[in-house]
Amino acid sequence: MVRIEGEEGRVRRVVTKTTEYDADLVIMAAGVRPNVDIARDAGLEIGETGALAVNEFMQTSDPDIYAGGDLVQNRHLASGRACFAPLGSTANKHGRVIGDNVCGGASRFAGISGTFICKVFYFNAGATGLTEAKAAAAGLDFYTANASGMDIAHYYQGAQAMAQKLVIERGTDRVLGYQAIGGGDTARRIDVVATAIRFGATIDQLADLDLAYAPPYAQAVDCLLHAANAARNKRDGVMKGISPAEARALLQADKAAVIDVRGEMEYKRMRLPARRSYNIPVDDLPARVAELPRDLPLIAVCTVGLRGYAAQKTLDAAGFADVRVLEGGLFQWPWKDELQ
Amino acid sequence: MVRIEGEEGRVRRVVTKTTEYDADLVIMAAGVRPNVDIARDAGLEIGETGALAVNEFMQTSDPDIYAGGDLVQNRHLASGRACFAPLGSTANKHGRVIGDNVCGGASRFAGISGTFICKVFYFNAGATGLTEAKAAAAGLDFYTANASGMDIAHYYQGAQAMAQKLVIERGTDRVLGYQAIGGGDTARRIDVVATAIRFGATIDQLADLDLAYAPPYAQAVDCLLHAANAARNKRDGVMKGISPAEARALLQADKAAVIDVRGEMEYKRMRLPARRSYNIPVDDLPARVAELPRDLPLIAVCTVGLRGYAAQKTLDAAGFADVRVLEGGLFQWPWKDELQ
């Protein structure tokens, strides 16, 4: 970017080296880099992330010099690795540890879970732990589960749908990460998973949590616990799930067909792009399985994943070899502009 | 109660055996008792709580009979004891475990944290784990901390004050319980503590949690973490706190004086009842310590506890022997009708 131009006090365009973009709104998302010049000049050790290295007492490589806040690197509790995650909440915790220790105490900073949240217009978008990409970069073997859900009782005023994704270590079943976005209360579920990650919780332990329930606050099975159960069902082979990205790749290569088990009107209004697509409402499915091809994988699709799961069980019982549920349903399909 | 009487479709009074109460609204809070008649007649073991006894697989004393929901007793994760806590969220978890097991699985139900929440007009009131009374009944040695805080950044639209109380086991520093009430987001903090209790978290681990922070969602030091820090300060003797109940007892017996460090206007508008009460704004305190008596305990009072804590540190440094902060400040004083 070369410059931002405006007229009459309002932004009008963004000028780059090669072109111009008309703009009514410019969002700067340039990231943050720690300014470690003074620390480097003083001979202090810089960490592998480019931020200042400190130990759990918040001491730099010179034990008489403490550092905290956006300048330092942290240890990530899910990956065990160094990471750079400048946040005011973390800086405050650093400050308390440093304050204790410069006064003769021996306080330790435990590390971070990589938690963040931000308000994106009407959406509350946040995450904790590792994303799929970060888990892969950390060399971890993992599985994921996408699940949609309502943040409070679906019949209660103001209920909002949420898209959720869990990342879980294969073998240990340890929860590695969680991402959530929606108009409703994502922050609560993110904080619960941040806490669970702090204590090395497994997906089974997460699913069992005794979370606060009353209709103004949650569904009787909280959407987070539903996501955990979906992950367990997927692990155990009870639910055969497919992520939106995997489904898209199969469908684009025409290596799978869609079985959309929503109502006809729903299907006509909006559906997945696929060369082979069948619409049979879930209640009609047992009587109409003969209409479906048996020579290629089927992707069972509905709005949030519930009817798709029922369809998978029906088709499994009818002897279909490879039926997978689109996890999170159409609600969680990220490529809205590709829908037909 | 004998009966509820109404006129023209509206309730008017409650008639008891000895008197009548005029009423515009009647709230029934009669509790719930499990109906175990059939189970008892069938020879199944009834638990010490009066609810049906089940093991972690949700089997009754007859292993071919499973039971769940409001009929059965649960194991409380904070006390380790049997408890009766009929809730829809727990019943749903029971159902999944039973469903797994009657189909040949071996799923276990971990137990409950005693979490609940309810909407009381504009307030969100809830708790998890053990209250002070329940911890005492369970024979546990514990300390408590009361702390007030804002649910989101204080400068952000819609910020609401919350009253919080933590119960912590002495010696182990294990978090036993948490109660919160306020107009804002208590549910999130209750769920975090419910998760922490599930994993046997200490108060230090609770204080270190990497919770989601952005101004629309939390203060940079989340009010729950602030409460945890207040508890740590109290444990370590850095903050000398006194609970509202303890303060009230001392003041009613005239065994302590109030040093109210709010502004004069605040003091005139509303203050604690006390025979001996001094009002010195916190900023003036260092210069005016000579005005305060040294022969009896002082209770430092402000709105939420912050200025009171500063006053305690000032008076400690000035050699006062027994200064304690009213935890949670006047905001958390439960006996509003006693305020002057």
Side-chain angles (χ1 to χ4, degrees):
Chain A
M1 192 186 77
V2 176
R3 64 181 177 276
I4 296 170
E5 292 182 351
E7 285 160 19
E8 295 168 12
R10 297 178 70 95
V11 69
R12 287 296 176 220
R13 70 192 66 82
V14 176
V15 181
T16 70
K17 280 177 192 161
T18 54
T19 188
E20 290 184 11
Y21 298 96
D22 288 341
D24 295 318
L25 174 72
V26 176
I27 296 172
M28 303 283 285
V32 177
R33 272 192 309 223
N35 185 344
V36 292
D37 293 348
I38 295 173
R40 187 184 282 113
D41 291 348
L44 300 181
E45 183 191 333
I46 308 301
E48 62 195 271
T49 63
L52 188 55
V54 289
N55 64 15
E56 60 188 335
F57 301 103
M58 305 308 296
Q59 289 167 304
T60 64
S61 55
D62 179 337
D64 289 332
I65 301 178
Y66 292 78
D70 294 1
L71 190 67
V72 307
Q73 74 180 19
N74 290 286
R75 192 173 67 88
H76 197 299
L77 291 165
S79 70
R81 293 188 172 200
C83 66
F84 179 60
L87 274 175
S89 47
T90 302
N92 267 282
K93 294 190 192 85
H94 290 165
R96 187 181 166 95
V97 169
I98 296 170
D100 281 354
N101 293 346
V102 297
C103 294
S107 288
R108 293 158 196 259
F109 179 65
I112 63 157
S113 303
T115 313
F116 82 91
I117 191 163
C118 61
K119 200 162 168 61
V120 186
F121 303 103
Y122 302 107
F123 290 99
N124 307 305
T128 187
L130 303 174
T131 60
E132 188 170 350
K134 283 185 180 163
L140 294 162
D141 185 19
F142 60 88
Y143 56 99
T144 67
N146 291 58
S148 303
M150 304 301 284
D151 69 333
I152 63 175
H154 63 277
Y155 52 80
Y156 201 86
Q157 190 183 15
Q160 297 275 349
M162 273 170 61
Q164 307 170 94
K165 182 174 180 178
L166 278 162
V167 183
I168 302 132
E169 190 173 38
R170 200 179 298 280
T172 66
D173 287 319
R174 187 168 60 103
V175 178
L176 296 175
Y178 173 74
Q179 300 108 52
I181 183 167
D185 191 352
T186 57
R188 190 184 334 150
R189 283 75 186 197
I190 290 165
D191 276 357
V192 167
V193 180
T195 306
I197 287 174
R198 171 70 178 81
F199 297 104
T202 67
I203 191 68
D204 301 285
Q205 291 172 325
L206 188 70
D208 244 2
L209 287 177
D210 186 11
L211 303 180
Y213 165 60
Y217 306 97
Q219 304 236 54
V221 178
D222 187 81
C223 57
L224 169 62
L225 306 191
H226 164 62
N229 282 331
R232 295 206 288 178
N233 283 349
K234 195 174 168 186
R235 172 197 65 192
D236 297 339
V238 175
M239 179 183 82
K240 293 164 191 154
I242 186 166
S243 74
E246 293 169 308
R248 183 168 179 254
L250 280 185
L251 292 174
Q252 285 183 341
D254 192 28
K255 289 185 175 166
V258 163
I259 165 62
D260 191 318
V261 294
R262 296 174 301 150
E264 275 179 48
M265 290 304 294
E266 294 174 282
Y267 184 75
K268 278 182 186 155
R269 208 159 36 225
M270 182 182 75
R271 60 189 180 276
L272 282 191
R275 205 177 71 76
R276 285 173 282 188
S277 178
Y278 303 83
N279 175 225
I280 304 176
V282 68
D283 292 341
D284 301 341
L285 193 59
R288 293 176 59 186
V289 293
E291 298 174 29
L292 294 171
R294 286 178 181 263
D295 59 343
L296 83 170
L298 295 177
I299 298 173
V301 175
C302 65
T303 307
V304 295
L306 185 62
R307 285 176 285 181
Y309 180 37
Q312 178 224 303
K313 301 309 281 183
T314 298
L315 294 172
D316 283 356
F320 284 75
D322 186 358
V323 182
R324 279 177 276 177
V325 185
L326 180 67
E327 293 175 34
L330 287 174
F331 172 73
Q332 208 154 327
W333 184 262
W335 304 281
K336 300 295 185 201
D337 56 336
E338 295 179 6
L339 293 175
Q340 295 175 333
Chain B
M1 193 185 77
V2 176
R3 66 180 176 276
I4 296 170
E5 292 182 349
E7 284 160 19
E8 295 167 12
R10 298 179 70 94
V11 69
R12 288 295 176 218
R13 70 193 65 82
V14 176
V15 181
T16 70
K17 280 176 192 161
T18 54
T19 187
E20 291 185 11
Y21 298 96
D22 287 343
D24 295 318
L25 175 71
V26 176
I27 297 172
M28 303 283 286
V32 177
R33 272 192 309 224
N35 185 343
V36 293
D37 292 349
I38 295 173
R40 186 184 282 113
D41 291 349
L44 299 181
E45 183 190 335
I46 307 301
E48 62 195 88
T49 63
L52 189 54
V54 290
N55 63 16
E56 60 188 337
F57 301 103
M58 306 307 296
Q59 289 167 304
T60 64
S61 54
D62 180 336
D64 289 332
I65 301 177
Y66 291 78
D70 294 359
L71 189 67
V72 307
Q73 73 180 19
N74 291 286
R75 192 173 66 88
H76 197 298
L77 291 165
S79 70
R81 295 188 171 200
C83 66
F84 179 61
L87 274 175
S89 47
T90 302
N92 267 281
K93 294 190 191 87
H94 289 165
R96 187 181 166 96
V97 170
I98 295 170
D100 282 354
N101 292 346
V102 297
C103 294
S107 289
R108 293 158 196 258
F109 180 65
I112 63 157
S113 303
T115 313
F116 81 91
I117 191 163
C118 61
K119 201 163 165 61
V120 186
F121 303 104
Y122 301 108
F123 290 99
N124 306 306
T128 187
L130 303 174
T131 60
E132 188 172 348
K134 282 184 180 163
L140 294 162
D141 186 19
F142 61 87
Y143 56 99
T144 67
N146 291 59
S148 303
M150 304 301 285
D151 69 333
I152 63 174
H154 63 276
Y155 53 78
Y156 201 85
Q157 189 182 16
Q160 297 275 348
M162 273 171 59
Q164 307 170 93
K165 182 174 179 177
L166 278 162
V167 182
I168 303 132
E169 190 173 37
R170 200 180 297 281
T172 66
D173 287 319
R174 188 167 61 102
V175 178
L176 296 175
Y178 174 73
Q179 300 108 51
I181 182 167
D185 191 351
T186 57
R188 190 183 335 149
R189 284 73 188 200
I190 290 165
D191 276 358
V192 167
V193 180
T195 306
I197 286 175
R198 171 71 177 80
F199 296 105
T202 66
I203 190 69
D204 300 284
Q205 291 172 326
L206 188 70
D208 243 2
L209 287 176
D210 187 10
L211 302 179
Y213 165 61
Y217 306 97
Q219 305 237 53
V221 178
D222 187 82
C223 58
L224 170 62
L225 307 191
H226 164 62
N229 281 332
R232 295 205 288 177
N233 283 350
K234 195 175 167 185
R235 173 198 63 193
D236 298 339
V238 175
M239 180 183 82
K240 292 164 191 155
I242 186 166
S243 74
E246 293 168 308
R248 184 168 179 255
L250 280 185
L251 292 174
Q252 285 183 342
D254 192 27
K255 288 185 177 166
V258 163
I259 165 64
D260 190 319
V261 294
R262 296 174 301 150
E264 274 178 52
M265 291 302 294
E266 293 174 282
Y267 184 76
K268 278 183 185 155
R269 209 159 35 227
M270 182 181 74
R271 60 188 179 276
L272 283 192
R275 204 177 70 78
R276 284 173 283 188
S277 178
Y278 302 83
N279 175 224
I280 304 177
V282 68
D283 292 340
D284 301 341
L285 194 58
R288 292 177 59 186
V289 293
E291 298 175 27
L292 295 171
R294 287 179 180 262
D295 59 344
L296 83 170
L298 295 178
I299 299 173
V301 175
C302 65
T303 307
V304 296
L306 185 62
R307 286 177 284 179
Y309 180 36
Q312 178 223 305
K313 302 309 279 183
T314 298
L315 294 173
D316 283 356
F320 284 76
D322 187 358
V323 182
R324 279 178 275 177
V325 185
L326 179 67
E327 293 175 35
L330 287 173
F331 173 73
Q332 209 155 325
W333 184 262
W335 305 280
K336 300 294 187 203
D337 56 337
E338 295 178 6
L339 294 175
Q340 295 175 332

